Amino acid sequence: SSTASSGEPEPEPLAAASRSADPCSPSPSPAALRFVLPCALVIINDIMAYFAGKVFGRTPLIKLSPKKTLEGYVGGGTLTVLLSIPLSDAFSQYEWMTCSRTSFAKENLECLNTLAFEPAVYHLSDFIPSILRQCVGSFVDLSFFAFTDYSFVAKPIVVHGIFLALFASSIAPFGGFFASGVKRALKIKDFGDSIPGHGGLTDRMDCQCVMGVFAYVYVNNFVKNPVASMSYILDKVLMLDASSQRALFTRLGYILAGQDMLPPTVLSELNKL
């Protein structure tokens, strides 16, 4: 064919393009944010809450878990948030954590979300919802928010790690409390005995299940960059009425003609539409 003889690459088929970047299919995401960091934070919170409860524990937290204390809950959460900062920064140093794996071979890594691991400038105002500023601003002078102009440089993964740590130390433990309630209702100490001293696999995964759902929602909404494929766009175009499709076709033709990607004869035909 003429394309093959000229040495130019053939255009990518529509089906292949949709497979490479289909927003409706699960696209690769960094292992550090998708799996490793959330799991590690739950484990760290469990350990830190245990030590904080052993040292400072005085006040029972919940009747379903008599050994859990308020001091252990608060102390474990605080230490988890603090430890998430160096842990997230350490994960950003390794390609296996920052890039997406397409196979078990080391060289098959897709670094698509690298912005999450590169230093960026943040302002405190970025973390204050506008509706909160409006509500508070109606009662106090706007100079009250002067401190929000403070800026700092941090890797986005560190900021994401702090939010994941807040959830892992505040909400995820309630998965364990729920599991404790189920075990008390069944009058059993552990769900299994596969891990000596820790029960079975279910006993270790109670908080991880809650954390896994949150991590999935968080990564898809705040971390992963949206990608539009050719098939996705065509599906949306086909939903337009005939006049809108013709107007879109005309505008796209003018854009391509302005980039010298269409011959002048096509531009003259567009003017007749």
Side-chain angles (χ1 to χ4, degrees):
S1 60
S2 59
T3 305
S5 59
S6 61
E8 298 179 356
E10 295 184 0
E12 184 180 18
L14 179 60
S18 63
R19 286 195 302 269
S20 62
D22 191 350
C24 299
S25 61
S27 59
S29 57
L33 287 169
R34 173 72 75 179
F35 179 75
V36 181
L37 185 58
C39 290
L41 290 174
V42 171
I43 296 173
I44 290 174
N45 179 71
D46 198 17
I47 297 173
M48 294 299 104
Y50 173 79
F51 284 114
K54 280 291 185 180
V55 177
F56 305 105
R58 297 291 185 273
T59 310
L61 178 62
I62 188 171
K63 292 182 178 180
L64 292 176
S65 298
K67 295 183 179 181
K68 299 291 194 305
T69 63
L70 179 62
E71 292 79 5
Y73 179 78
V74 176
T78 303
L79 292 173
T80 301
V81 173
L82 293 177
L83 290 174
S84 70
I85 298 175
L87 182 66
S88 302
D89 185 68
F91 283 160
S92 66
Q93 309 296 326
Y94 301 95
E95 285 189 349
W96 282 32
M97 294 294 176
T98 60
C99 301
S100 305
R101 180 167 303 285
T102 56
S103 72
F104 289 105
K106 179 181 179 181
E107 60 274 8
N108 291 337
L109 295 174
E110 292 185 4
C111 299
L112 301 177
N113 296 301
T114 56
L115 293 179
F117 306 94
E118 298 176 357
V121 178
Y122 289 93
H123 295 82
L124 289 182
S125 57
D126 298 335
F127 305 97
I128 302 178
S130 58
I131 186 172
L132 179 61
R133 294 171 62 93
Q134 294 175 1
C135 294
V136 177
S138 60
F139 298 99
V140 299
D141 189 74
L142 293 179
S143 60
F144 174 78
F145 294 100
F147 71 95
T148 60
D149 293 333
Y150 174 78
S151 62
F152 61 94
V153 178
K155 294 180 180 180
I157 187 177
V158 175
V159 178
H160 296 315
I162 292 176
F163 284 106
L164 291 173
L166 288 172
F167 185 88
S169 58
S170 60
I171 307 299
F174 284 90
F177 301 153
F178 175 76
S180 298
V182 173
K183 287 187 285 187
R184 279 184 171 272
L186 298 176
K187 297 180 179 180
I188 58 176
K189 184 178 183 298
D190 298 313
F191 285 111
D193 54 2
S194 58
I195 308 176
H198 294 273
L201 183 62
T202 306
D203 296 274
R204 295 294 87 200
M205 296 299 294
D206 44 15
C207 299
Q208 297 286 5
C209 295
V210 181
M211 188 66 191
V213 175
F214 175 78
Y216 175 82
V217 175
Y218 184 89
V219 170
N220 282 315
N221 287 275
F222 299 105
V223 179
K224 191 165 64 173
N225 298 325
V227 178
S229 66
M230 190 186 305
S231 61
Y232 177 79
I233 295 175
L234 286 176
D235 288 339
K236 297 301 181 182
V237 171
L238 292 176
M239 296 174 62
L240 300 174
D241 56 77
S243 60
S244 298
Q245 290 179 1
R246 185 166 56 250
L248 177 63
F249 173 77
T250 304
R251 292 187 180 182
L252 183 60
Y254 283 130
I255 293 174
L256 295 178
Q259 298 175 355
D260 295 330
M261 299 178 64
L262 294 177
T265 54
V266 175
L267 186 59
S268 61
E269 295 295 329
L270 289 175
N271 294 327
K272 298 178 182 179
L273 296 178

